[in-house]
Amino acid sequence: MNKDRLVNQFMDMVKIDSETGYERDMADYLLKTFKEMDIEATEDDTQEKTGYGAGNILVRLKGDASKAPVYFTVHMDTVAPGKGVKPSIDGDYIISDGTTILGADDKAGIAALIEAIYTIKESNMAHGDVEIVITVGEESGLVGAKAFDTSKLNSKFGYAIDSTGTVGTVVTTAPTQSRIVVDIHGKKAHAGVAPENGISAINIAARAISQMKLGRIDPETTANIGRFEGGTATNVVTDHVHLLAEARSLDSDKMEAQSAHMKETFENAAREMGGSADVSIEVMYAALNAPDDSEVVRTAVKAIENIDRTADLISLGGGSDGNVFAGAGIGTAILGLGYENIHTTEEKMPIEELVKITELVVEIIKVQNDKEVRA
Ligand SMILES: [Zn+2]
């Protein structure tokens, strides 16, 4: 591993603007970089479908075909303000100038993968196939990953490199989430002259919500009404309100049951009061649930020990690209890479963690290669 090259690679990439939806320059840079490294990298055809700045990039490092492949995923988009990032080194950290984010989320992961490939090639390390998916649109609803055709992957398991926590952190569980859109319809009337002719959509929604289980449902499940809007003036019985809600659970059956409970409660209250409720439930992403004894977790733990760190298996409260791949049946865990204060202009990247995440990627590929030849 060449630490200076790694740091320079990272600094070069954060200077390329790639706010979500505007990934073109970053995608072109990556395609060019892998081409110069003589590594197969192709952009998929999802750009038309997503309307984002580019398609996802699939990178294949060819290795010993008798060994089982492993995959990694990272994302090339960043949150705003991410234009004109001016990185600099401040002691043990790489920082922005304070007017923008840094973009370590997730370009530190991309830099680690590129340096890991250099390291493997230069040391002639034995390895099986390594597949890398670099997505667009992660920050706005996992758009690229959702559009990606996972049948292109031969790997049965792998890692998203995109979590807070120092290197050694492994996210093994993250919830599935639904987005619930509710429109309650009542009947408009003059509130002073003839309120009895009206049906208040506000009152229907209020009754439903008061009867609903919300907040912490059980240790694995949560639910929330996040938005409630409607109505005009005090003298009008409101005929329409619009609500946005969500349910999350580490257990998809529980998430579905909670979402169904919320839908039914709105529908029942509307029916009882003479109105109607249109409730749609969309599953935003699947749960990520890698058991401690699964291959994806065991391989990570062994590799973490080999780089002299301690594995810390944790649960997250939100979803990421890893959830999408897990939902497609590819065993996935999310690796912490030590970035700090992400999604803020205080974002910074400890150089030591950048080095350690690179070592971890190399080590995972090594541990995977050292396993028995696949059946
Ligand atoms: Zn991220």
Coordinates of all heavy atoms in Angstrom, one line a residue, residues 33 61 66 88 104 137 163 195 201 217 224-225 241 268 300 346 356-357 372:
T33 N -10.1 6.1 -14.7 CA -9.1 5.6 -13.7 C -9.0 4.1 -13.8 O -7.8 3.6 -13.9 CB -9.5 6.0 -12.3 OG1 -9.6 7.4 -12.2 CG2 -8.6 5.5 -11.3
L61 N -12.5 -7.1 -10.9 CA -11.0 -7.5 -10.9 C -11.0 -9.0 -11.0 O -11.5 -9.7 -10.1 CB -10.5 -7.1 -9.5 CG -9.0 -7.5 -9.2 CD1 -8.1 -6.8 -10.2 CD2 -8.7 -7.1 -7.8
S66 N -11.4 -20.4 -9.6 CA -11.8 -21.6 -8.7 C -12.2 -21.1 -7.3 O -12.7 -21.8 -6.5 CB -10.7 -22.6 -8.6 OG -9.6 -22.1 -7.8
S88 N -7.9 19.8 2.3 CA -6.5 20.1 2.8 C -6.3 19.1 4.0 O -7.2 18.6 4.6 CB -6.4 21.5 3.2 OG -7.2 21.8 4.3
A104 N -16.0 12.5 2.0 CA -15.5 11.2 2.5 C -16.6 10.2 2.4 O -16.3 9.0 2.2 CB -14.9 11.4 3.9
G137 N -26.9 8.3 -6.8 CA -28.2 8.5 -6.1 C -28.4 7.8 -4.8 O -29.6 7.7 -4.4
S163 N -20.3 3.4 6.4 CA -20.9 3.6 7.7 C -20.0 4.4 8.6 O -18.8 4.3 8.5 CB -21.3 2.3 8.4 OG -21.8 2.5 9.7
P195 N -72.3 23.4 10.1 CA -71.2 22.5 10.3 C -71.7 21.0 10.2 O -71.0 20.1 9.9 CB -70.7 22.8 11.8 CG -71.8 23.5 12.4 CD -72.5 24.3 11.3
A201 N -62.1 16.3 7.7 CA -60.9 15.4 7.4 C -59.9 15.5 8.5 O -59.3 14.5 8.9 CB -60.3 15.8 6.1
I217 N -42.6 0.7 18.9 CA -43.6 -0.4 19.0 C -43.1 -1.6 19.7 O -43.7 -2.2 20.6 CB -44.0 -0.8 17.5 CG1 -44.4 0.4 16.7 CG2 -45.1 -1.9 17.6 CD1 -45.5 1.2 17.2
N224 N -44.0 6.4 12.9 CA -44.1 7.8 13.1 C -45.0 8.5 12.0 O -44.9 8.1 10.8 CB -42.7 8.5 13.0 CG -42.7 10.0 13.4 OD1 -43.3 10.3 14.4 ND2 -42.1 10.8 12.6
I225 N -45.8 9.5 12.5 CA -46.4 10.4 11.5 C -45.5 11.6 11.4 O -45.2 12.3 12.4 CB -47.8 10.9 12.1 CG1 -48.7 9.7 12.5 CG2 -48.5 11.8 11.1 CD1 -49.3 8.9 11.5
V241 N -57.1 16.3 4.1 CA -55.8 16.4 4.8 C -54.8 15.4 4.1 O -55.3 14.3 3.7 CB -55.7 16.3 6.3 CG1 -56.4 17.5 7.0 CG2 -56.3 15.0 6.8
N268 N -60.6 2.8 8.9 CA -61.7 2.6 9.8 C -62.3 3.9 10.4 O -63.5 4.1 10.4 CB -61.3 1.7 11.0 CG -61.1 0.3 10.5 OD1 -61.5 -0.1 9.5 ND2 -60.4 -0.5 11.4
A300 N -15.6 -10.9 7.7 CA -15.2 -9.6 8.1 C -14.5 -9.6 9.5 O -13.5 -9.0 9.7 CB -16.5 -8.7 8.2
E346 N -18.5 20.3 8.5 CA -17.4 19.9 9.4 C -16.9 18.5 9.1 O -16.1 18.0 9.9 CB -18.0 19.9 10.8 CG -18.7 21.2 11.3 CD -17.9 22.4 11.3 OE1 -16.8 22.3 11.8 OE2 -18.3 23.4 10.6
K356 N -6.5 2.3 7.2 CA -7.1 1.0 7.8 C -8.2 0.4 6.9 O -8.3 -0.8 6.8 CB -7.5 1.2 9.2 CG -6.4 1.4 10.2 CD -5.3 0.3 10.2 CE -5.4 -0.8 11.2 NZ -4.2 -1.6 11.2
I357 N -9.0 1.2 6.4 CA -10.1 0.6 5.6 C -9.6 0.0 4.3 O -10.0 -1.0 3.8 CB -11.3 1.7 5.3 CG1 -12.5 1.0 4.6 CG2 -10.8 2.8 4.4 CD1 -13.2 0.0 5.5
E372 N -11.2 -22.6 1.3 CA -11.2 -23.8 0.4 C -11.8 -23.4 -0.9 O -12.6 -22.5 -1.0 CB -12.1 -24.9 1.0 CG -11.6 -25.5 2.3 CD -10.3 -26.2 2.1 OE1 -10.2 -27.0 1.2 OE2 -9.3 -25.9 2.8

